[in-house]
Amino acid sequence: MTGEVGPGHRVHQPGWPFSSRPVRLGVLVLITLIAISLLSRLPAWSLLELRSFDYLSTVDDPLPPADAPVIVAIDEPSLAEMNEQWPWPRSLHARLIRQLRAAGAKAIGLDIIMAEQSSREDDAAITAAVGPDIVLAGDETLIQTPQADQLIRATPMPQLTEAGARTGIASIDLGGDGVFRNIPSYQDGFAITLAQAAGKAPGRLPANALIQSFGPSRSYPTVSYYQALDPENFLPKDFFKDRVVFVGLSLQNAPEIDKGGADAFATPYTVHTGRLVAGVEIQATIYDNIVHRYSIELARLPVVAFAILIAAILAAATVWKSTGWRTFAATVVFIGVAAALSYAGIRFGNLFVSPLGPVVAYVSVAFGQAAFDFAEERRKKKQVTLAFSQYISPDLVKRLSEDPSQLKLGGERRTLSVLFSDVRGFTTIAETLKDDPEQLTGLINRLLTPLSDVVMDHGGTIDKFMGDCIMAFWNAPLDDADHALHAVAASLAMQEAIASLNRQLEKEARINGTPLHALKMGVGINTGECVVGNMGSNRRFDYSCLGDAVNLASRLEGASKNYGVALLLGEQTAKLVAGTYTVAELDRVLVKGKTLPTPVFTVLHHADAAALAAHQAFVEMKYAGKLSPDDPVFQTLPQVIPELAAYYAIVRSDVSGTEG
């Protein structure tokens, strides 16, 4: 791939791999799918998916069902009211069972493990109280050692099950981040067994079923243990009638996650509250999930893969033609849509398709292509920078690279202010230094460097160097509404730079005892319509300008010495800067292609209105041929306008020659 880089250069630029945009997008989609398939094997990926489930499943989560279980909480008020040290006597639990039965409870689950014997009287009391409507908690623990894995079950005392009580395993599985999400798969789980005791037919759970939360801690109807012991005095009538009751430890104020708590665990809702939920309330939530089929199925691999593929294809379609701020906006919209669809799947289809994979796929493809486009844009900007950094100021290069559309290559008509500068008598200096080329070269470099800096600092474009001559122009390649003012300001600054260089040369000549080569410069500036663009051959070209206005600027530079001034301006330039600078007409010259002479001007630093009026009268007398060598104006005007003393002397000499 061959790329043009600007004035006087043409270099080979290597093309991008997969430079075809459709092919590049196809490769991006393929790489994205492979990367996600690898990332999904990492534990961190699964945790991120589950965390997204936590947020989405608790957005506008449902309330517990109307026939939701009632929780009898062993809480702080009960501990204070009972005035008993925990664990409480089993006779107290027996009394609670009798009270709940009498109040009409359909089934009772005690989330309390009674695996070991206590006192004979208490064990006898609880044995007498239990029956088929009672479910006692069991526990299952996996003990892992280097030698073997051992599964240990703790179940209620045999005498309790012989008395008719049922056993339900109340153990739950916590995820890698310590959050309870998955419904236990025990066939004899605590909630399942209690549902059977209540005459319910639990639905069959899908593999890896996820829990649907019903809110933060204490979302279920909850009463204190001591209130349930005396419902007639503490609770509304028929409060427990035909209800399923869970009994277990539940602190009045849900403990904070960083402090932990007895039989309390993090659930999906913990992301909002930062608080744990009592184990007995988790069992009630499991109960409603399996009885009312609220549980959420985790989408299988084919469904997830299809969603990721669709997201990658949508991203490719979004950036098929280009990338930009719309890419970012589309990505934000897609993330919102993906989250909304995942939420809809949870709420209306009991299916969780994680938005993580599709979002990562969309972002990877969209921003991957955006990165390619950005790199391509940087490459193009670098080309523009290389093309113009030696010809225009860094600020203009920056503007041009940020908006390359301002650069119209191939030629266009523009009104330019063109400047030519030349060192007078440089041929003589070169002849003097012909035996010392290094000194001559060094002098040229010391001359052209500050002059070039002046041009670029004033927003000009350097067209070319011709020995000791500089050609520059303004208003291309970037628009410059004040191009004439900037060109004139640059010419004046160039004169100051020459004066500074002369002072340095004088000091060096004095120190070294060498001849002084003082420099003087003439400048011509003209404003007019030109053709500007890349000009040259297919192998080599320059960014340059052509036109009569350019030719006149060159003529003005050469003619400046004939008028005893360092700067000559064309008529249009003078008109454009007259409001800022003091300009004075010097003569009228005949321009090729025109029948009438064109006036030329210079810039004055010190001249008042009266002096300018006197000078203009002098010029009119010159045009009319009314001047004579002994005219008093040749004595008075040089004193009024010292800057033009040489000019007046030249005119007087011309008048004398004419008369002679």
Side-chain angles (χ1 to χ4, degrees), residues 73 86 192 298-299 313 466 488 502-503 627 648:
W86 183 262
I192 291 178
L298 185 62
I313 293 174
M466 297 168 286
V488 172
N502 279 331
R503 289 192 292 271
L627 290 175
Y648 295 131

Side-chain angles (χ1 to χ4, degrees), residues 279-318:
V280 66
E281 191 164 352
I282 287 177
Q283 294 297 335
T285 305
I286 295 173
Y287 174 92
D288 278 333
N289 270 257
I290 61 178
V291 169
H292 297 285
R293 294 172 174 79
Y294 280 117
S295 63
I296 300 163
E297 182 180 1
L298 185 62
R300 299 181 183 274
L301 180 60
V303 176
V304 176
F306 179 74
I308 293 173
L309 177 62
I310 291 298
I313 293 174
L314 283 175
T318 302

Side-chain angles (χ1 to χ4, degrees), residues 21 25 316-323 369 373:
R21 194 176 188 89
L25 283 169
T318 302
V319 297
W320 187 262
K321 292 184 178 181
S322 64
T323 55
Q369 182 60 49
D373 290 346

Side-chain angles (χ1 to χ4, degrees), residues 394-594:
D395 289 340
L396 292 183
V397 172
K398 182 179 179 182
R399 286 173 55 195
L400 193 58
S401 63
E402 290 175 350
D403 185 10
S405 64
Q406 298 184 64
L407 176 62
K408 296 180 181 179
L409 301 179
E412 60 173 327
R413 286 192 169 275
R414 295 182 78 122
T415 298
L416 306 180
S417 288
V418 184
L419 176 148
F420 279 84
S421 71
D422 189 24
V423 176
R424 295 173 183 168
F426 196 81
T427 302
T428 303
I429 297 175
E431 182 67 24
T432 303
L433 299 176
K434 64 180 180 180
D435 296 329
D436 192 352
E438 290 185 0
Q439 184 179 355
L440 178 61
T441 303
L443 182 60
I444 292 177
N445 292 337
R446 292 179 67 181
L447 168 67
L448 296 181
T449 297
L451 299 185
S452 301
D453 291 343
V454 166
V455 170
M456 291 193 289
D457 289 345
H458 287 78
T461 300
I462 296 177
D463 186 307
K464 59 178 66 71
F465 298 100
M466 297 168 286
D468 58 309
C469 176
I470 296 178
M471 174 184 173
F473 52 84
W474 279 256
N475 202 32
L478 300 180
D479 293 335
D480 183 355
D482 297 322
H483 51 88
L485 282 172
H486 293 152
V488 172
S491 71
L492 299 178
M494 291 169 77
Q495 297 291 346
E496 294 175 2
I498 286 286
S500 176
L501 178 58
N502 279 331
R503 289 192 292 271
Q504 295 177 23
L505 294 175
E506 182 181 0
K507 181 178 180 181
E508 292 170 6
R510 187 170 59 254
I511 294 174
N512 299 328
T514 56
L516 172 63
H517 302 291
L519 304 174
K520 293 184 179 181
M521 185 178 65
V523 178
I525 302 176
N526 187 47
T527 301
E529 190 175 76
C530 306
V531 175
V532 62
N534 271 348
M535 300 177 189
S537 69
N538 289 332
R539 296 176 63 96
R540 184 176 178 85
F541 51 82
D542 287 302
Y543 189 73
S544 185
C545 59
L546 296 174
D548 290 339
V550 178
N551 299 332
L552 179 56
S554 178
R555 289 184 59 193
L556 292 175
E557 177 272 315
S560 61
K561 59 179 175 291
N562 299 328
Y563 295 96
V565 294
L567 172 64
L568 275 186
L569 305 180
E571 182 179 19
Q572 186 63 24
T573 307
K575 288 181 179 179
L576 292 173
V577 303
T580 303
Y581 295 100
T582 301
V583 295
E585 184 178 347
L586 300 182
D587 200 0
R588 292 175 183 168
V589 297
L590 190 62
V591 179
K592 183 180 178 180
K594 293 187 178 181

